[in-house]
Each structure stands twice: as C-alpha cells, then as structure tokens.
Amino acid sequence: MPNQLNILISAGPTREWIDPVRFISNPSSGRMGYALATNAQKRNYSVTLVSGPVHLQEPKGVHLKQVETAEQMGKAIFENAKHADIVIMCAAVCDHRPLEQWVQKKKKEVFPNEIKLVPTIDILQELGIRKKENQVLVGFAAETENFEENAKIKLKKKNLDWIALNDVSQEGIGFNADYNQITMLSSEGKKVKFEYSAKEVIANKMLDLIIK
Ligand code: PMT
C-alpha cells in the first residue's frame, strides 16, 4: 500500500423521486460511513466521502460530495474511484427507482395504486468489474437472514476483497443506530468478528484490518 492512501467512502441513503414531494428511500443515517471517513482522515489519508442526504456535520478535512439519487452517487463514485487505493461502499443505495418521475405533484385523487419500479445501477458490482490492480474494494452486506451465506454471495458476485456483514435484523444495530455489529469476510477466506460497539470503534477496527 502507498504511504499517502486515497480512500473513497460512500455513506447514507439515496432518494429515488416519485414526484417533487415523494420519494423511495431507507433509514440509513450515514453514521457508519461518516465514522469511517473521520477515522481515515485522522490517519492522514486523503478521503473522499460521497454522501446521500443525511443530518450529520461535514467531517473536517474530508472531500465531501453530496448526492441524492443512485444515479448521481454512481457518477460521483466512478469519477473518484479511478484515483482510489481503497473504496468502501457503506451507502444504502436504493435497489429500485420509479420508472416514471412526475414533474408536478401527483394529486392524491389520481395517485396510482401501483408504481412501476426499475432496478438502479449496482454501483459496487460495476466497481468490481472496473477494479484497478492493487485497489482494495470493500462492500457491506445488510442482511436480515442467511447472514453469512448472503454476504459470501455478494463478496464473490461483486468481486470484492472484503465484505462487512451487517446484521440489520435487530433494533439498536445497523440502520440509524449509534452502535453496530460487523463480521468481516475476505475473498481469501478470512473471518473477523467485531463485538457490538460504537460505530466509531467499529470504523477504527475495520480500517486496521483493511489497511494491514
Ligand atoms: O447509515 P447508518 O444509519 O449508519 O447505517 C449503516 C448501514 C446499515 C447503512 C451500513 O452499515 C450498511 O450495511 N450499508 C450497506 C447497506 C446496503 O445497501 O446493503 P446491501 O446488502 O443492500 O448492498 C450490498 C452492497 O452493494 C453495499 O455495499 C451497497 O453499498 C452496494 N450497492 C447496493 C445497491 C446498489 N444499487 N448499488 C450498490 O453499490
């Protein structure tokens, strides 16, 4: 690894708009991704943080790029991934967006009972295809069942070096919580479990492991 590492991190949710006042999203607060960015900055690495809409203070000394949709996040990530030694996709990118996006607020009297959804781009999978030599690619797997099995499928399918398996089946860990519980799985078969701790503590342990 070079001394002056370039780290690219994504955080927060995306918003996929239905009309100007309604969107599809998820409860990601951005705390896990911001904790990773803050920790990486403290190690004097060059950090770019691509963030969906969150209510968090901008971390000092970090290049922050704010986006809303999966499409915008993909564009910002692909632009910055070219120069990144490590990419960590912590964002909860919406897997789907409405096929149609109305320009005017849809009146409730004519609001349809069903909205057709189409898949968004899988940013991480695309990063796996474009991965540079020596680039370390880290994804998250937010799971509610078949935890390790599902995470291993993502690790392989997206051509990752590490995946952070995040059990999001219980309250108090994962989405919109101060604490988390992560098991790191590597493409080389390593498995490292971090006990239930504050996201700042987990971020520190994750970076120690990835940068080793
Ligand atoms: O933001 P917090 O409130 O602190 O919560 C943290 C967290 C729970 C959001 C975080 O720890 C986490 O688990 N992030 C990943 C959420 C997720 O979308 O997981 P997934 O299993 O659906 O996606 C797998 C991976 O593919 C993720 O790295 C995701 O960023 C990426 N992905 C997913 C869909 C998509 N269209 N493009 C992607 O790049």
Side-chain angles (χ1 to χ4, degrees):
M1 284 266 178
N3 280 343
Q4 179 52 52
L5 285 180
N6 282 318
I7 303 202
L8 173 61
I9 298 168
S10 70
T14 65
R15 285 181 181 172
E16 311 303 329
W17 291 91
I18 297 168
D19 72 9
V21 299
R22 303 178 180 98
F23 55 79
I24 297 170
S25 193
N26 60 66
S28 168
S29 65
R31 274 177 245 166
M32 190 65 240
Y34 275 57
L36 284 162
T38 303
N39 190 289
Q41 195 281 328
K42 282 188 188 146
R43 295 169 188 240
N44 286 325
Y45 303 144
S46 170
V47 185
T48 302
L49 175 63
V50 177
S51 176
V54 297
H55 303 282
L56 297 175
Q57 278 220 322
E58 184 171 337
K60 285 204 183 92
V62 163
H63 309 283
L64 177 67
K65 311 218 176 282
Q66 287 167 313
V67 298
E68 270 202 337
T69 64
E71 193 184 346
Q72 291 166 3
M73 184 168 280
K75 194 164 173 279
I77 290 284
F78 299 139
E79 268 169 25
N80 289 281
K82 291 177 206 148
H83 318 289
D85 302 300
I86 300 172
V87 184
I88 307 178
M89 278 298 294
C90 184
V93 186
C94 288
D95 289 318
H96 296 90
R97 64 172 175 81
L99 173 66
E100 215 179 330
Q101 191 188 318
W102 293 298
V103 179
Q104 305 298 340
K105 179 183 172 191
K106 200 78 167 166
K107 293 275 172 218
K108 75 172 174 194
E109 295 77 16
V110 290
F111 200 87
N113 290 330
E114 289 176 11
I115 293 177
K116 190 161 170 52
L117 301 178
V118 289
T120 55
I121 179 170
D122 191 319
I123 302 168
L124 187 56
Q125 190 158 323
E126 187 57 38
L127 284 171
I129 295 167
R130 300 183 190 189
K131 187 155 76 167
K132 295 188 301 171
E133 212 188 329
N134 297 327
Q135 189 174 58
V136 177
L137 194 51
V138 185
F140 274 72
E143 305 295 342
T144 58
E145 59 178 351
N146 302 329
F147 302 98
E148 214 168 301
E149 191 187 327
N150 287 341
K152 281 182 179 163
I153 292 171
K154 287 176 187 172
L155 176 71
K156 195 155 183 222
K157 189 173 170 199
K158 303 192 187 201
N159 190 24
L160 309 179
D161 299 288
W162 286 99
I163 194 148
L165 165 57
N166 202 158
D167 175 350
V168 293
S169 66
Q170 309 161 44
E171 251 183 61
I173 52 171
F175 284 98
N176 200 21
D178 289 329
Y179 287 77
N180 214 351
Q181 195 170 344
I182 295 274
T183 301
M184 297 291 291
L185 303 169
S186 86
S187 57
E188 292 170 345
K190 289 184 202 146
K191 179 175 167 182
V192 182
K193 186 174 177 181
F194 303 139
E195 292 309 320
Y196 177 77
S197 357
K199 284 181 175 170
E200 289 74 17
V201 175
I202 301 263
N204 190 40
K205 289 185 176 168
M206 275 185 71
L207 288 176
D208 276 351
L209 188 68
I210 294 162
I211 295 163
K212 217 188 252 173

